[in-house]
Amino acid sequence: MFINLVSDTVTKPTPGMLQAMWSAEVGDDVFREDPTATALEEKCAHLFGHEAALFCPSGTMANQIALKVHTRPLDEVICDEMSHIYQYEVGGYAFHSGIGVNLLKGENGILSAEMVEAAIKSPFDWLPKSTLVVIENTCNKGGGSMYNLETIRQISEVCRRRQLAFHMDGARLFNALVETGNTPAEIGREMDSISICLSKGLGAPVGSVLIGHQAFIKEARRVRKAMGGGMRQIGYLAAAGIYALDNHVVRLKEDHENARRIAETLKNCSWATNIRPVQTNILIFDLVAPLTPALFLEKLKQKGVLASAFGPQTIRFVTHLDVSKEMTDTVIEHLGSF
Ligand SMILES: *Cc1c(COP(=O)(O)O)cnc(C)c1O
């Protein structure tokens, strides 16, 4: 059995989650007849103080639907250069929505209201139209960095005043919430839409949820179908999501503590440098040459630990539900004697 720090997507359903899935009541969700999917959507909408929500097969689809519904072709979305929607969604913003990106250099993926406002383009015929701002919380490529509520409020104020839509890629939003102590409703109030992943740290096998206003979700449901994401008896998956929200949120703190402890160890390792500050469950650092990611990862694998390269000289560790405190101790031991 490997200790898998590659991603928080690798978790397997727990016995309790499997039991919840097994006993789910299901129906055909394309006909809106799956009571468990509806229950998950209502639960999420309520949690964030919004009117409606939509279960999606992936976080990528949830984000791509949001981009599509919030924009028209020839618009542009303002986001950080590290954004998942720019880096890791295959350029889907251009493919599905016919829009451009206006990339900003935030601090570890975190934008400020001033940067956002300065990036909004004037309404000239020859310029793309700035109609949407997307922030990522926590920011994956930023090392699990997170927004404080005040910054979100300030960006929200800019968006409302300048009439731009405001979407949060909240794939790991609950990781941020357990650290800041903010409630989902406090975030929901500032956003036009939010996507959350059930299949990351929350430990569900599949699924994301897009949250927003009634009219937004109504259109999102049509776009989901057009993308091929209308599914049938998804109550089995939605049940895993409900279970995850009820049982796996508070414990995210343990993942953060484990990541912090590994980071502390790395500070004493001569072969590790530029260790990014750990705010949640992601730890990014560089290797000192001549040590390369390929060599480091191979050595680590021989010790039973998996991780991934995140750049020519960069390594990423992600802690999650299937990495216990004891496993973290083992990782720390191996790193200390590397
Ligand atoms: C994982 C992730 C997504 C969506 O990923 P899927 O693999 O499509 O579910 C979106 N945004 C961020 C920041 C992510 O880390």
Side-chain angles (χ1 to χ4, degrees):
M1 264 300 278
F2 285 103
I3 299 172
N4 195 336
L5 301 173
V6 170
S7 173
D8 47 7
T9 55
V10 302
T11 57
K12 308 264 170 65
T14 60
M17 181 178 282
L18 282 172
Q19 187 56 48
M21 295 169 75
W22 180 252
S23 22
E25 204 183 321
V26 300
D28 188 329
D29 188 61
V30 172
F31 297 138
R32 309 281 292 272
E33 286 169 359
D34 189 297
T36 311
T38 303
L40 171 66
E41 290 170 348
E42 284 174 356
K43 183 182 179 72
C44 289
H46 184 253
L47 204 52
F48 286 89
H50 269 269
E51 291 170 351
L54 184 70
F55 183 86
C56 296
S58 69
T60 298
M61 191 186 283
N63 282 336
Q64 291 299 319
I65 292 171
L67 298 183
K68 179 74 185 156
V69 179
H70 283 309
T71 66
R72 296 178 62 198
L74 309 183
D75 288 354
E76 75 174 10
V77 51
I78 295 169
C79 61
D80 189 90
E81 62 181 2
M82 287 183 177
S83 299
H84 197 276
I85 58 161
Y86 173 65
Q87 295 277 350
Y88 305 118
E89 301 186 9
V90 215
Y93 55 90
F95 183 71
H96 297 294
S97 302
I99 61 174
V101 281
N102 186 345
L103 299 176
L104 308 184
K105 251 191 207 338
E107 197 181 332
N108 290 323
I110 304 300
L111 302 177
S112 69
E114 292 74 28
M115 297 174 69
V116 169
E117 181 142 35
I120 299 172
K121 292 195 162 78
S122 303
F124 292 120
D125 289 344
W126 53 89
L127 294 180
K129 194 170 165 188
S130 311
T131 50
L132 172 64
V133 175
V134 173
I135 60 172
E136 187 172 311
N137 193 23
T138 67
C139 180
N140 174 21
K141 204 172 164 65
S145 53
M146 59 193 185
Y147 278 85
N148 63 50
L149 184 57
E150 190 47 36
T151 304
I152 296 172
R153 282 188 177 142
Q154 289 165 356
I155 299 175
S156 175
E157 188 278 322
V158 170
C159 289
R160 277 167 206 192
R161 182 160 42 78
R162 306 291 298 269
Q163 297 189 322
L164 278 75
F166 191 22
H167 172 74
M168 179 181 287
D169 177 351
R172 298 188 179 82
L173 177 53
F174 286 98
N175 292 86
L177 292 179
V178 299
E179 284 299 319
T180 61
N182 294 126
T183 63
E186 282 175 312
I187 303 290
R189 199 172 301 136
E190 307 304 325
M191 308 306 307
D192 293 307
S193 59
I194 301 171
S195 61
I196 59 164
C197 278
L198 302 166
S199 59
K200 299 261 163 91
L202 294 181
V206 177
S208 282
V209 181
L210 180 61
I211 297 141
H213 304 295
Q214 197 73 52
F216 172 84
I217 293 296
K218 187 175 192 319
E219 187 58 20
R221 194 177 295 276
R222 287 174 53 76
V223 173
R224 184 186 67 172
K225 185 67 175 142
M227 289 180 175
M231 297 169 291
R232 305 297 175 171
Q233 286 73 28
I234 53 171
Y236 296 116
L237 301 176
I242 293 172
Y243 184 90
L245 289 168
D246 288 343
N247 296 279
H248 293 167
V249 171
V250 177
R251 63 152 307 285
L252 290 170
K253 271 244 174 207
E254 298 168 27
D255 300 340
H256 304 172
E257 182 55 29
N258 289 338
R260 268 193 284 269
R261 287 173 55 224
I262 298 173
E264 284 306 313
T265 305
L266 285 177
K267 283 177 190 160
N268 299 320
C269 296
S270 57
W271 44 265
T273 183
N274 193 14
I275 302 157
R276 320 294 198 272
V278 172
Q279 296 190 45
T280 52
N281 70 326
I282 299 176
L283 165 55
I284 297 177
F285 63 97
D286 294 338
L287 298 171
V288 177
L291 186 56
T292 61
L295 185 64
F296 175 76
L297 293 173
E298 183 50 40
K299 290 270 180 209
L300 206 57
K301 190 175 175 182
Q302 285 167 14
K303 293 171 186 284
V305 181
L306 303 178
S308 59
F310 214 55
Q313 206 56 31
T314 307
I315 297 292
R316 185 184 78 162
F317 289 167
V318 187
T319 55
H320 52 77
L321 185 58
D322 289 354
V323 177
S324 65
K325 186 168 180 294
E326 291 68 32
M327 289 169 164
T328 304
D329 291 339
T330 305
V331 171
I332 286 172
E333 217 169 282
H334 289 322
L335 292 174
S337 66
F338 207 74

